[in-house]
Amino acid sequence: MNKNDSSVIGKLLADHGFESTTDPRSADVYIINTCTVREHAANRALAFTAGLEEWRKAGNRILAVVGCLAQSNADEITKRLKHVDLILGPDAYREIGNYVTQITGTKSRIIDTKLSAETYCGIFHRPNAVADFVSIMRGCSNYCSYCVVPYVRGPARSRASDDIRKEIVHLVEYGVRDITLLGQNVNEYHHESMGFAELLQHVSVIPGVFRIRFLTSHPKDFTRETVQVIKENNNICEWFHLPLQSGSNRILQLMNRKYTKEHYNGLVEHIRSQIPESTITTDIITGFPTETEQEFIETLNTLREIKFDDAYMYRYSIRPGTKASSMPSLDEDTIKARLAESIQVKNEIVVEKTKAMIGKVYEVLFESAARGNGSRGKTRGNKNVIVQEKIKPGEVRNVRITEVKGQTPIGVVADA
Ligand code: SAH
Ligand code: SF4
């Protein structure tokens, strides 16, 4: 989501006559786009901003901190990081060009952290890669008890389907072949009478769209109708990122996730029975307040049972203002040990799943160069694949997987 927001900011500044640079320190305006989903990300952004004091003072320059940290910690940044000129929350980017011009003229600081119904309609950035993102929703109203997103990004709102279609047409014109529709819970998409399954159908018929994906699906709202649309439309990839968070029903309830492990298993069974070649990935939080050893083991068992194609493992991080922040925390050593154990279990499963790819042929859309003379691309299932051949970004080849290095499948072009 932040990558996409950075593209929006880039486009808004380009419209004001600015150019981006690959050497940030040579810039006139330095923008740090921040995340606060976990404490670690927030602390890194603060430390990084503090480290730019000398850069800021060495010339007539503007330093901006934008995004979720700017939204939640504007006061702290104002007081502690006096070299920051511009502080913008996620809904305040439209004015960024004017704000920069004003600061240049007045040398005074600007803070804008108003949340609104903003969806950045009509702002189509110039893509610079084969794969790109299109935001279909912003904000979130689910209030999972651990999560800061609803507080820093405001309530859920959907972008007009016609604007989504226009942006996709624009991206396709610039050579984008793999488009990921973005939202904190895409299954809640709703514009006029169009729901998410209809939106998928609507964008999949846009001429030239080679691949469509979407991120993220909340298991409580994921529908069988969506599975059906994916099954029927060849350019919608059969990759499902369905964050489970925990394998314990008591913890899921404390997390306010509104589904049970049984419901989740039912979704996985349905997806796999309808689309056997599908890949399913997930997010897991370990060490949630009051999680017992037995409940943690339930999560490990669920990982082993479902055998995800990939999983992002996070240690629980206290986010100020959330409901879980007032629940009794587990001790640091227990949280760390559980994270390490869950990563080990996840790694074993992912290696096993990746090794099962050996000998099979996958359609790979190449995106970039890889080490040496090789190339990197993605399968429809969102798995990165490396080949030794040099293949131009945007080309599609059938690749036979021959070995696995770490968790990465390596292959040879099978249709050369
Ligand atoms: N909207 C998405 C998640 C966005 S945040 C969804 O509902 O699935 C991405 C992931 O970060 C979450 O799935 C969760 O696993 C993790 N996360 C969010 N808040 C967290 C916290 N306080 N501590 C640890 N992990 C967290
Ligand atoms: Fe956070 Fe839950 Fe919303 Fe995802 S659905 S962004 S985890 S509150």
Side-chain angles (χ1 to χ4, degrees), residues 37-38 146 184 216 243 245 257 283 285 314-315 317 319:
V37 166
R38 283 167 293 276
Y146 49 81
Q184 295 299 345
T216 293
Q245 313 298 5
R257 289 292 284 179
D283 294 345
I285 298 176
Y314 303 113
R315 51 151 295 167
S317 169
R319 304 320 292 131

Side-chain angles (χ1 to χ4, degrees), residues 105-325:
T106 62
K107 309 272 175 250
S108 56
R109 172 187 263 174
I110 294 179
I111 302 165
D112 186 349
T113 52
K114 279 189 297 295
L115 290 174
S116 66
E118 182 62 87
T119 54
Y120 296 110
C121 260
I123 298 162
F124 305 157
H125 67 277
R126 181 98 176 243
N128 57 9
V130 168
D132 211 338
F133 300 105
V134 170
S135 163
I136 64 165
M137 295 181 71
R138 292 182 71 81
C140 183
S141 306
N142 284 308
Y143 290 93
C144 299
S145 64
Y146 49 81
C147 184
V148 79
V149 170
Y151 304 92
V152 291
R153 286 186 164 265
R157 64 222 104 117
S158 299
R159 184 173 162 195
S161 57
D162 197 45
D163 201 57
I164 295 169
R165 191 188 54 77
K166 282 186 190 146
E167 180 164 26
I168 294 176
V169 170
H170 161 87
L171 293 176
V172 168
E173 267 172 27
Y174 279 98
V176 174
R177 306 201 72 192
D178 188 319
I179 290 169
T180 305
L181 307 179
L182 287 180
Q184 295 299 345
N185 175 10
V186 292
N187 307 104
E188 277 180 294
Y189 178 85
H190 198 82
H191 181 254
E192 288 166 354
S193 61
M194 194 180 279
F196 181 61
E198 290 89 354
L199 177 75
L200 266 183
Q201 182 80 58
H202 181 70
V203 298
S204 77
V205 298
I206 296 173
V209 172
F210 183 67
R211 283 181 180 176
I212 293 274
R213 321 173 173 278
F214 51 93
L215 198 70
T216 293
S217 300
H218 195 308
K220 79 178 165 66
D221 297 313
F222 191 80
T223 63
R224 292 179 177 220
E225 200 188 346
T226 302
V227 178
Q228 192 59 27
V229 173
I230 297 167
K231 199 175 159 182
E232 286 167 5
N233 292 277
N234 200 36
N235 59 355
I236 309 175
C237 293
E238 53 281 357
W239 166 49
F240 300 84
H241 185 65
L242 273 172
L244 168 68
Q245 313 298 5
S246 169
S248 146
N249 283 339
R250 190 185 73 90
I251 295 295
L252 284 173
Q253 196 174 8
L254 275 183
M255 286 177 164
N256 194 30
R257 289 292 284 179
K258 301 195 173 99
Y259 55 84
T260 59
K261 180 170 71 178
E262 291 72 24
H263 172 77
Y264 189 94
N265 284 339
L267 285 181
V268 170
E269 262 171 44
H270 179 72
I271 292 169
R272 288 183 170 158
S273 71
Q274 292 300 304
I275 313 178
E277 66 280 18
S278 60
T279 57
I280 302 179
T281 57
T282 203
D283 294 345
I284 299 286
I285 298 176
T286 56
F288 187 81
T290 76
E291 180 190 68
T292 64
E293 185 64 25
Q294 187 49 41
E295 286 164 341
F296 170 62
I297 289 170
E298 279 185 64
T299 299
L300 295 184
N301 288 343
T302 311
L303 285 174
R304 291 191 184 102
E305 280 156 26
I306 294 184
K307 291 193 194 295
F308 291 101
D309 295 275
D310 209 347
Y312 296 89
M313 318 300 293
Y314 303 113
R315 51 151 295 167
Y316 169 68
S317 169
I318 302 176
R319 304 320 292 131
T322 59
K323 196 151 180 228
S325 69

Side-chain angles (χ1 to χ4, degrees), residues 25 27-28 52-63 85 107:
R25 284 181 181 261
D28 302 306
L52 284 172
E53 187 167 0
E54 245 176 66
W55 172 87
R56 164 66 182 77
K57 290 187 172 155
N60 193 11
R61 296 162 167 171
I62 293 176
L63 180 59
D85 302 285
K107 309 272 175 250

Side-chain angles (χ1 to χ4, degrees), residues 29-56:
V29 185
Y30 200 130
I31 302 163
I32 304 164
N33 193 2
T34 61
C35 171
T36 48
V37 166
R38 283 167 293 276
E39 190 184 9
H40 182 63
N43 288 344
R44 273 182 58 203
L46 283 172
F48 191 82
T49 309
L52 284 172
E53 187 167 0
E54 245 176 66
W55 172 87
R56 164 66 182 77

